[in-house]
Amino acid sequence: MPRRVDHDERRRELTAALLRIASTRGLQAVSMREVAAEAGVSLRVVQYYFTDKRTLMASGIAELAGRLDRRVRERAAALGTELEPRAVLEVVLGAILPTDDDSRADQLAWTAYYAAGLTTPADAVDGRYAPDALERWLTGVVARAVEEGRVVADADPRIEVVSLLALTNGLVSSVLGQQRTVDDAQAVVRYRLDRLFRPAAG
Amino acid sequence: MPRRVDHDERRRELTAALLRIASTRGLQAVSMREVAAEAGVSLRVVQYYFTDKRTLMASGIAELAGRLDRRVRERAAALGTELEPRAVLEVVLGAILPTDDDSRADQLAWTAYYAAGLTTPADAVDGRYAPDALERWLTGVVARAVEEGRVVADADPRIEVVSLLALTNGLVSSVLGQQRTVDDAQAVVRYRLDRLFRPAAG
DNA sequence: GATCCTGTGGTACGACTGTATCCTAACGTC
DNA sequence: GACGTTAGGATACAGTCGTACCACAGGATC
């Protein structure tokens, strides 16, 4: 059996199996044996490529952070270099919402990790989905819109962005909990953007 | 030993112990033995008052739902019968934010239960913190404010309330994750209310 | 061709889990 | 005072967990 093996590739497969379990049966159902079974390999293989369970779990959150970040970045890049500030916000916030099965699964796993990290700061969220970087970028976008008079003049760019991100976060929760559809959530985001982006008033 | 015992009282103590564990070490750390140890009783006692683990866990989420609901209701009642719509919103939304250690602990436990329920709908959130009832009530408050001209005329009461609740929910997450202080979160809520409640424009 | 390293199967160990069972001390009821 | 019920102590059992260890087959290297 022992061909020469691409370790990174193998780890990716195992991590994907882990995330599949986490998003369907929860982080609690993730054991080394379950990951092995989901990936169709023996327990020993999981042990071999991730010595610890801690290492395995860490790989899961890292992959997840990468995926979510990639989703936002790709959509942002897809809309060209210079688009209206409003379109930027709509696309970026829309990229956070769980619009298809894949992003829904990732958001479920993400939520599980986040909740676990709240009470077990050990394996807490590291990459953290770079909310600060995102927040700063969008704040710049809104600030520019204010200068150009496309937004109510007395709007505070930072707080507007913070509240938009928190709103989106809250909507993600309710969509995952099936108290709301994605379409409803998107409508709420658009409503907020409509009220923010108009030269006249607040 | 066997005095006649108040079962409800005993169950409350055990449930409190469960929630203490859940809010500090996570739902994963909740076992029958741990609850017994936290409450200072033997395993048998936990078995006696909650036959199942399912029953025990269900008691936790029920107590939690009651506490959160009570918090909102108490604060709402404390501000008299007829206060400004804006004050109602500020108080109610403020009651959701984790402002002291107790409410923070409860929100942590709540988040843990919520996340668990997303992937294990079996013991899902039942009472659900009655978000629909809250949503309807606040929508009525905002609708009244619109009629009285205290709010921008073209505001949609329902979507305004939905977005305020989702925003608050998102802020709770970020406060629990210590990416933001409670004061910051309250400031964001006040900012949003400031912009909603002014006769002039949106 | 001998040797070393890499990848994997199999299995075992101790800790912990939920649950079940047996036993008994103190009470209410008669 | 006898007796059934209540409240709980103690222990056992089967299962699962992370981890450790042994064995070994197949390439790479010399």
Side-chain angles (χ1 to χ4, degrees), chain B residues 93-105:
Chain B
L93 297 179
I96 298 177
L97 292 174
T99 46
D100 54 20
D101 286 352
D102 284 349
S103 60
R104 176 184 165 82

Side-chain angles (χ1 to χ4, degrees), chain A residues 3 47 50 52 63 66 144 148 155 157 161 166 180-181 186:
Chain A
R3 285 247 137 98
Q47 274 191 298
F50 303 94
D52 257 350
E63 166 69 16
R144 189 158 49 87
E148 294 172 357
V161 167
R180 221 179 302 283
T181 67
Q186 277 173 324

Side-chain angles (χ1 to χ4, degrees), chain A residues 4-7 10-11 15-16 23 38-40 43 45 70 73 79 87 94 106 123 149 153 157 170 182 190 197:
Chain A
R4 212 55 162 224
V5 163
D6 183 341
H7 279 218
R10 215 94 167 88
R11 269 191 272 266
T15 303
S23 63
E38 173 71 26
L43 167 62
V45 172
R70 211 175 309 137
R73 237 174 260 278
L79 46 70
D106 285 347
D123 49 15
V182 201
R190 274 196 299 270
F197 283 92

Side-chain angles (χ1 to χ4, degrees), chain A residues 98-109 175-178, chain B residues 118:
Chain A
T99 46
D100 54 21
D101 286 352
D102 284 349
S103 59
R104 176 183 165 83
D106 285 347
Q107 285 286 6
L108 279 170
V175 169
L176 292 180
Q178 288 171 332
Chain B
L118 289 180

